Amino acid sequence: GAGVSQSPSNKVTEKGKDVELRCDPISGHTALYWYRQSLGQGLEFLIYFQGNSAPDKSGLPSDRFSAERTGGSVSTLTIQRTQQEDSAVYLCASSLNRDNSPLHFGNGTRLTVT
Amino acid sequence: GENVEQHPSTLSVQEGDSAVIKCTYSDSASNYFPWYKQELGKRPQLIIDIRSNVGEKKDQRIAVTLNKTAKHFSLHITETQPEDSAVYFCAAGDGNNRLAFGKGNQVVVIP
């Protein structure tokens, strides 16, 4: 079946502009995650959605970052007033609503802030 | 929160030899330990996982061992092949579906 889909695959933006990154999780997966991966670095947790519960936003690095998940499916990560240090690959993952079920990652959005 | 560390950061092995990557974690409440493989330019993919009620798990050429007392777990790859070259991430979870990842380990298999 279809996996996790992210768009755009690449995004180049000027410093100070806002960007929106989109994630379509696997159908039926109620848990959705956003991670950030900088060059040569690990996976930095950003935010976690689980069903209708309040999201876990504890990983968002600043108030310029926000995310929504509408209808329990598609999610949008928004970065306002982008900075050069925001340049990274933003990975979305989804999983079943089950204790410690595996994460299925999308291909990510490579964001470059110039 | 949970802190996961991986060692070594880079590992080079001759084709056919074994590779071992070790991870340590800090939170004794963690009970789920997956390993993800990320090939160059691709998404991370789950290759094996282990839960705290098991000490070892094996799947063909890969195995994972867990030592809860020492709070570390290791990935073992036997008879390495060039396609095993990738970055491997370990993670630890507490059952609330939130995983803490290590920084990754670059494995290079030399033909």
Side-chain angles (χ1 to χ4, degrees):
Chain A
V4 176
S5 177
Q6 291 188 245
S7 61
S9 55
N10 282 283
K11 176 71 176 178
V12 180
T13 190
E14 291 180 353
K15 176 182 173 181
K17 296 286 180 68
D18 298 350
V19 295
E20 283 190 354
L21 313 180
R22 177 187 168 102
C23 173
D24 280 278
I26 293 174
S27 178
H29 282 194
T30 59
L32 186 147
Y33 309 75
W34 284 97
Y35 285 87
R36 179 168 68 175
Q37 186 173 30
S38 301
L39 186 62
Q41 298 298 310
L43 298 168
E44 177 189 3
F45 168 79
L46 297 178
I47 188 169
Y48 162 56
F49 295 90
Q50 174 60 64
N52 294 322
S53 301
D56 177 354
K57 304 180 182 180
S58 59
L60 295 178
S62 77
D63 58 7
R64 296 187 295 104
F65 288 72
S66 62
E68 291 184 342
R69 188 178 186 193
T70 54
S73 181
V74 171
S75 178
T76 301
L77 177 69
T78 301
I79 308 174
Q80 295 178 310
R81 304 180 303 281
T82 51
Q83 304 295 313
Q84 287 187 329
E85 59 262 30
D86 299 335
S87 297
V89 175
Y90 290 82
L91 288 162
C92 175
S94 69
S95 69
L96 290 167
N97 181 22
R98 200 171 63 208
D99 184 33
N100 289 324
S101 51
L103 300 187
H104 298 263
F105 284 89
N107 283 325
T109 293
R110 181 174 297 278
L111 175 66
T112 304
V113 182
T114 62
Chain B
E2 175 64 272
N3 181 44
V4 177
E5 296 189 357
Q6 288 187 239
H7 306 279
S9 58
T10 304
L11 178 63
S12 295
V13 295
Q14 290 289 335
E15 182 177 356
D17 287 351
S18 294
V20 181
I21 308 166
K22 181 176 175 178
C23 281
T24 59
Y25 62 99
S26 61
D27 188 351
S28 58
S30 291
N31 57 16
Y32 175 62
F33 308 93
W35 285 89
Y36 285 80
K37 176 184 180 182
Q38 186 177 31
E39 296 178 40
L40 187 63
K42 296 189 177 180
R43 69 185 77 185
Q45 291 191 303
L46 179 72
I47 55 170
I48 195 168
D49 57 12
I50 193 168
R51 299 178 191 275
S52 59
N53 59 343
V54 176
E56 182 175 359
K57 184 176 179 180
K58 189 174 182 180
D59 183 3
Q60 300 182 346
R61 295 187 297 108
I62 60 173
V64 55
T65 58
L66 171 64
N67 183 327
K68 286 206 70 181
T69 302
K71 295 208 281 280
H72 67 69
F73 55 111
S74 300
L75 178 71
H76 304 252
I77 308 172
T78 58
E79 301 172 24
T80 53
Q81 300 170 4
E83 55 264 36
D84 295 329
S85 295
V87 176
Y88 292 82
F89 292 97
C90 63
D94 61 3
N96 291 320
N97 268 356
R98 176 176 168 175
L99 294 176
F101 282 86
K103 291 189 181 300
N105 180 293
Q106 176 76 58
V107 173
V108 178
V109 179
I110 304 166

